[in-house]
């Protein structure tokens, strides 16, 4: 007999499968091939499918299983939109790989990648228009507000590269826009489709905000501490690239004297030599930065779980709780 955790995991995996099937079934033309081949390449590249699953669970939490079919176009929309952001992010970051494969602008070229992103954005809005709900206007408004916040977050992230006064609150504000906005919108849209009342939608947004924070800070932490080969990235890659993450900003705030100088050179020099990453980890551990990051992940995770208490008891609520614990406890 399966335990609650097993049932929740099976539920999430089933939804992931439905999203994958929905992406494969999208009616995309074959021509012009130079455009649609890379679009398919992006949509078939895999991933956690976290955002569409959150949307489906938000809808199911208030509308039951019958809400899943109505919510599927919206779920596909947020995943297609997420794919768009990755294609354009890779151009801006000059990234050569995504999920172990060449990025679109590398495999094809930059103009093609721009067009692919543009088409994915249009496809996302087209999918949203197919959602069967009496609240389509509200769904579109929520989605549009998310797009605005995400673009603001991306602009802030790029601006941080040139700034020397970025604080941890600045960083948290940025990730709530760049990373958290889509998570929050997915859950809120799910609530609209499922028939959640105002209190229910607010709870879903609070859950999404806390989950987004926990997920991003955990990602920052794993970038330096992951020991599992399945992490799939270069350990310490953020430091090597000179990114102002939660860890580096806290290290700059906590350090003094020679140690502060050691950390301050990372962003000013455009990154840390790869061979010095182990030393950075030791220094951050000594400053208590890694412990603080772990504590922050736990606190945000608990805040997310507390928000779920407002939702009516259901297998969807259990799945959201299970998913939260898996995401913030992951080793990669």
């Amino acid at each position: 007999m399966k335990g609650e955790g097993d049932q929740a995991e099976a539920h999430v995996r089933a939804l992931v499968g439905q999203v994958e099937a929905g992406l494969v079934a999208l009616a995309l033309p074959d021509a012009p091939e130079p455009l649609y081949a890379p679009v398919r390449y992006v949509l078939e590249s895999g991933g956690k499918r976290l955002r569409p699953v959150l949307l489906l669970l938000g809808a199911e939490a208030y509308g039951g299983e019958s809400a899943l079919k109505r919510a599927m176009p919206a779920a596909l929309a947020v995943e297609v939109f997420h794919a768009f952001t990755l294609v354009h992010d890779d151009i801006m970051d000059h990234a050569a790989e995504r999920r172990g494969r060449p990025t679109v602008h590398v495999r094809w070229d930059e103009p093609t990648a721009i067009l692919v992103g543009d088409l994915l954005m249009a496809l996302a809005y087209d999918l949203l228009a197919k959602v069967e709900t009496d609240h389509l206007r509200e769904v579109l408004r929520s989605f549009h507000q998310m797009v605005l916040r995400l673009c603001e977050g991306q602009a802030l992230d790029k601006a941080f590269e040139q700034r020397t006064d970025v604080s941890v609150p600045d960083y948290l504000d940025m990730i709530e826009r760049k990373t958290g906005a889509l998570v929050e919108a997915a859950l809120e849209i799910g609530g609209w489709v499922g028939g959640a009342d105002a209190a229910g939608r607010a709870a879903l947004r609070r859950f999404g905000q806390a989950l987004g924070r926990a997920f991003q800070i955990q990602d920052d932490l794993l970038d330096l501490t992951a020991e599992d080969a399945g992490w799939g990235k270069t350990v310490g890659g953020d430091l090597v690239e000179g990114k102002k993450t939660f860890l580096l900003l806290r290290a700059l705030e906590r350090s003094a004297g020679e140690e502060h100088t050691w950390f301050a050179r990372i962003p000013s020099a455009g990154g840390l030599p790869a061979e010095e990453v182990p030393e950075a980890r030791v220094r951050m551990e000594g400053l208590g930065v890694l412990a603080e990051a772990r504590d922050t992940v736990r606190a945000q995770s608990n805040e997310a779980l507390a928000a779920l208490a407002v939702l009516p008891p259901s297998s969807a609520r259990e799945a959201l709780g299970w998913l939260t614990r898996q995401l913030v406890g992951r080793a990669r």
Side-chain angles (χ1 to χ4, degrees), residues 173-235:
D173 176 61
M174 183 273 291
I175 65 173
E176 283 182 8
R177 299 170 194 246
K178 182 179 176 180
T179 303
L182 185 50
V183 172
E184 289 180 53
L187 287 154
E188 181 177 44
I189 290 170
W192 277 114
V193 177
D197 59 14
R201 295 193 304 274
L204 287 169
R205 286 195 302 271
R206 288 196 303 274
F207 169 73
Q209 182 181 60
L211 181 64
R213 277 192 177 188
F215 183 82
Q216 183 59 58
I217 296 172
Q218 176 78 332
D219 217 51
D220 291 352
L221 186 60
L222 287 173
D223 184 81
L224 185 60
T225 64
E227 297 176 355
D228 192 322
W231 172 237
K233 303 177 187 177
T234 301
V235 174

Side-chain angles (χ1 to χ4, degrees), residues 31 41 48 70 72 82 90 113 138 141 143 150 214 237 281 329:
Y41 178 82
K48 296 181 180 67
R70 298 198 308 276
M72 184 57 72
H82 179 56
D90 288 339
E138 289 81 3
R141 184 182 297 119
F143 192 85
L150 190 145
R281 177 172 176 172

Side-chain angles (χ1 to χ4, degrees), residues 140-278:
L140 289 168
R141 184 182 297 119
S142 177
F143 192 85
H144 183 61
Q145 287 299 314
M146 173 275 296
V147 174
L148 292 178
R149 290 182 63 205
L150 190 145
C151 289
E152 291 168 355
Q154 181 68 14
L156 288 171
D157 193 23
K158 297 300 289 183
F160 286 179
E161 294 175 7
Q162 307 301 323
R163 285 177 52 186
T164 59
D165 61 342
V166 180
S167 66
V168 170
D170 289 337
Y171 176 74
L172 293 176
D173 176 61
M174 183 273 291
I175 65 173
E176 283 182 8
R177 299 170 194 246
K178 182 179 176 180
T179 303
L182 185 50
V183 172
E184 289 180 53
L187 287 154
E188 181 177 44
I189 290 170
W192 277 114
V193 177
D197 59 14
R201 295 193 304 274
L204 287 169
R205 286 195 302 271
R206 288 196 303 274
F207 169 73
Q209 182 181 60
L211 181 64
R213 277 192 177 188
F215 183 82
Q216 183 59 58
I217 296 172
Q218 176 78 332
D219 217 51
D220 291 352
L221 186 60
L222 287 173
D223 184 81
L224 185 60
T225 64
E227 297 176 355
D228 192 322
W231 172 237
K233 303 177 187 177
T234 301
V235 174
D238 286 345
L239 289 173
V240 172
E241 294 177 25
K243 291 184 178 180
K244 296 181 177 75
T245 65
F246 182 91
L247 301 184
L248 180 57
L249 293 172
R250 272 294 188 237
L252 288 168
E253 289 181 357
R254 285 172 172 260
S255 59
E258 179 277 332
E259 193 148 53
H260 182 81
T261 301
W262 195 93
F263 283 112
R265 71 192 168 100
I266 296 174
S268 63
L272 182 72
E275 62 270 18
E276 295 185 41
V277 167

